[in-house]
């Protein structure tokens, strides 16, 4: 009989092939010979009178392990990315930071660890999800406790009051930044760059980014409309390779014209690079801005009531839609005019 799946009851080490094993003649329990000799008897000798059997003990242990394994599956949530087992109510993976709310929503459970056949209050993709009745549900904190800290001295509830719009998304982003130091790519910031920062009341960055976008667009358009640019492009396209090789002075002059000809492309590249930087950094910038502003507001209202503090958080935070729309419309109009002048210039040429 193979005993490699069992442990010696004395030293609690698993048996291996080649071990010198002694089996109790009364109950059938295997021991390492050394362990049996040192003990001088069977480990379960005091249970022999009760009819103890190692076979029955092994069967009972196997059933318990299977039962515990089933309950463990109900008490944990498996990360779909790194496969780390997290507590069943974890909102993000403790190892990699992956959002686990969707996993929890698809595995609703009762307090006894058994799956809830009726469904939980919030099922489906959070933060909205669907209730057991099929009606859409809404959780403004995306399952977070309002008293949970998302920054030094700042709770999730206070951050939600300050962000105002899209609190579910920012609750998850703030928690991820607090716990793992990693944010998410901001597609809205990528698409709108300076307008997004203005929308979120980060006026300095918003104006700076917007002006750079407008300036690069206008400057690129202005350059393409100049006769010098048209002449430089024409000369580059008609330049003879032999002339460039045989005349160093001519080749050197073409370098300057090449830089001028490609300048609009470089300016457009700067604009797209700025958009990419906005998408990569916007959430972290807004997180730092929010935590700093909330702490300052809390210091200013240290002796104020909770209602006054909440009103101040809501008025200082939130969004500025009119300003964002104004800059957005201005940018679109300028972009349209630039493209119109370029098209008109090409038709004329």
């Amino acid at each position: 009989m193979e005993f490699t799946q069992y442990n010696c009851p004395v030293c609690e080490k698993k048996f291996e092939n080649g071990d010198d094993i002694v089996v109790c003649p009364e109950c059938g329990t295997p021991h390492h010979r050394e362990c049996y000799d040192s003990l001088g008897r069977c480990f379960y000798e005091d249970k022999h009178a009760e009819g103890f059997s190692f076979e029955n003990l092994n069967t009972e242990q196997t059933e318990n392990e299977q039962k515990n394994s089933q309950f463990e599956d109900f008490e944990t949530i498996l990360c779909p990315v790194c496969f780390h087992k997290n507590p069943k109510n974890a909102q993000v993976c403790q190892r990699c930071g992956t959002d686990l709310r969707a996993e929890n929503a698809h595995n609703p459970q009762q307090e006894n660890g058994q799956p809830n056949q009726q469904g939980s209050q919030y099922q489906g993709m959070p933060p909205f999800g669907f209730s057991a009745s099929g009606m859409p549900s809404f959780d403004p904190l995306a399952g977070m406790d309002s008293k949970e800290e998302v920054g030094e001295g700042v709770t999730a509830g206070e951050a939600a009051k300050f962000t105002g719009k899209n609190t579910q998304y920012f609750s998850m982003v703030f928690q991820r930044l607090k716990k793992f130091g990693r944010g998410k790519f901001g597609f809205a910031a990528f698409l709108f760059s300076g307008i997004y920062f203005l929308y979120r009341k980060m006026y300095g960055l918003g104006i700076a980014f917007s002006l750079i976008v407008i300036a690069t667009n206008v400057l690129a358009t202005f350059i393409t409309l100049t006769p010098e640019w048209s002449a430089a492009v024409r000369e580059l396209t008609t330049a003879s390779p032999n002339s460039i090789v045989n005349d160093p002075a001519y080749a050197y002059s073409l370098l300057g014209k090449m830089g001028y000809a490609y300048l609009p492309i470089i300016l457009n590249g700067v604009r797209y690079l700025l958009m990419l930087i906005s998408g990569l950094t916007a959430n972290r910038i807004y997180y730092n801005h929010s935590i700093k502003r909330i702490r300052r507001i809390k210091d200013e209202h240290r002796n104020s009531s909770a209602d006054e503090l909440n009103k101040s958080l809501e008025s200082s935070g939130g969004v500025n839609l009119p300003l964002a729309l104004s800059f957005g419309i201005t940018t679109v109009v300028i972009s349209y005019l630039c493209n119109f002048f370029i098209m008109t210039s090409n038709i004329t040429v």
Side-chain angles (χ1 to χ4, degrees):
M1 181 178 179
E2 291 289 338
F3 295 104
T4 53
Q5 70 268 37
Y6 305 126
N7 294 344
C8 173
V10 180
C11 66
E12 298 183 350
K13 293 181 179 178
K14 188 175 285 292
F15 293 114
E16 298 180 0
N17 289 328
D19 284 352
D20 189 3
I21 298 174
V22 175
V23 178
C24 174
E26 292 288 333
C27 64
T29 302
H31 304 70
H32 287 116
R33 182 177 295 276
E34 183 179 354
C35 296
Y36 188 88
D37 291 342
S38 64
L39 191 62
R41 58 179 177 83
C42 173
F43 183 81
Y44 296 109
E45 184 181 43
D46 56 338
K47 296 184 178 181
H48 288 171
E50 303 172 2
F52 173 81
S53 168
F54 175 73
E55 183 178 356
N56 294 338
L57 174 65
N58 179 58
T59 302
E60 183 180 344
Q61 288 178 342
T62 302
E63 291 176 352
N64 289 336
E65 288 176 359
Q66 292 176 348
K67 189 179 298 183
N68 291 336
S69 176
Q70 292 174 352
F71 278 110
E72 182 182 1
D73 290 339
F74 292 131
E75 292 295 328
T76 60
I77 189 73
L78 191 67
C79 175
V81 176
C82 69
F83 305 107
H84 178 70
K85 286 186 177 181
N86 298 273
K88 68 174 183 179
N89 292 324
Q91 297 169 357
V92 293
C93 177
Q94 295 175 341
R95 177 185 291 172
C96 67
T98 298
D99 182 16
L100 298 178
R101 290 180 179 82
E103 300 298 318
N104 273 319
H106 290 299
N107 292 278
Q109 297 156 2
Q110 296 175 342
E111 293 182 358
N112 59 3
Q114 296 295 331
N116 186 351
Q117 302 299 330
Q118 300 300 322
S120 61
Q121 181 182 3
Y122 298 107
Q123 297 187 41
M125 289 298 295
F128 297 97
F130 291 89
S131 65
S133 63
M135 296 297 292
S137 302
F138 179 80
D139 181 4
L141 293 181
M144 289 182 64
D145 186 341
S146 62
K147 296 182 180 179
E148 180 179 347
E149 280 203 356
V150 294
E152 187 177 352
V154 176
T155 65
E158 293 166 344
K161 290 283 185 184
F162 184 82
T163 55
K165 299 289 186 181
N166 205 5
T167 56
Q168 314 88 355
Y169 172 78
F170 285 109
S171 293
M172 291 187 286
V173 169
F174 285 9
Q175 185 189 48
R176 187 184 178 99
L177 284 165
K178 173 69 165 56
K179 289 188 175 181
F180 306 103
R182 297 197 304 270
K184 290 179 126 182
F185 186 80
F187 286 99
F190 169 71
L191 293 173
F192 302 106
S193 55
I195 298 172
Y196 174 82
F197 289 113
L198 290 173
Y199 177 72
R200 280 289 162 188
K201 294 188 176 182
M202 292 180 281
Y203 299 124
L205 275 176
I207 292 173
F209 275 54
S210 297
L211 290 179
I212 292 174
V213 169
I214 293 173
T216 53
N217 199 0
V218 171
L219 187 58
T221 303
F222 175 78
I223 292 172
T224 57
L225 295 177
T226 59
E228 292 81 5
W229 183 83
S230 299
V233 172
R234 191 179 304 111
E235 187 168 353
L236 286 172
T237 55
T238 58
S240 170
N242 292 330
S243 300
I244 296 174
V245 173
N246 297 326
D247 188 350
Y250 177 68
Y252 182 77
S253 67
L254 282 181
L255 287 176
K257 294 178 181 179
M258 183 181 296
Y260 191 72
Y262 280 101
L263 188 56
I265 298 176
I266 294 173
L267 289 171
N268 287 326
V270 170
R271 185 165 74 250
Y272 291 124
L273 179 62
L274 193 68
M275 292 170 62
L276 180 61
I277 292 173
S278 298
L280 291 171
T281 61
N283 280 329
R284 185 178 293 276
I285 291 173
Y286 185 60
Y287 171 75
N288 293 331
H289 165 79
S290 299
I291 298 302
K292 183 178 179 181
R293 289 284 299 137
I294 293 171
R295 291 177 61 186
R296 184 184 303 171
I297 293 169
K298 289 178 69 176
D299 286 340
E300 293 172 354
H301 292 78
R302 191 173 302 171
N303 299 322
S304 303
S305 65
D307 288 340
E308 291 177 348
L309 174 61
N310 290 336
K311 288 179 181 178
S312 181
L313 288 172
E314 291 171 356
S315 60
S316 299
V319 298
N320 192 333
L321 183 59
L323 181 62
L325 283 176
S326 300
F327 265 80
I329 293 171
T330 302
T331 303
V332 170
V333 170
I334 292 175
S335 178
Y336 173 79
L337 290 175
C338 290
N339 291 330
F340 173 78
F341 285 127
I342 291 174
M343 291 177 64
T344 305
S345 174
N346 290 338
I347 293 174
T348 304
V349 173

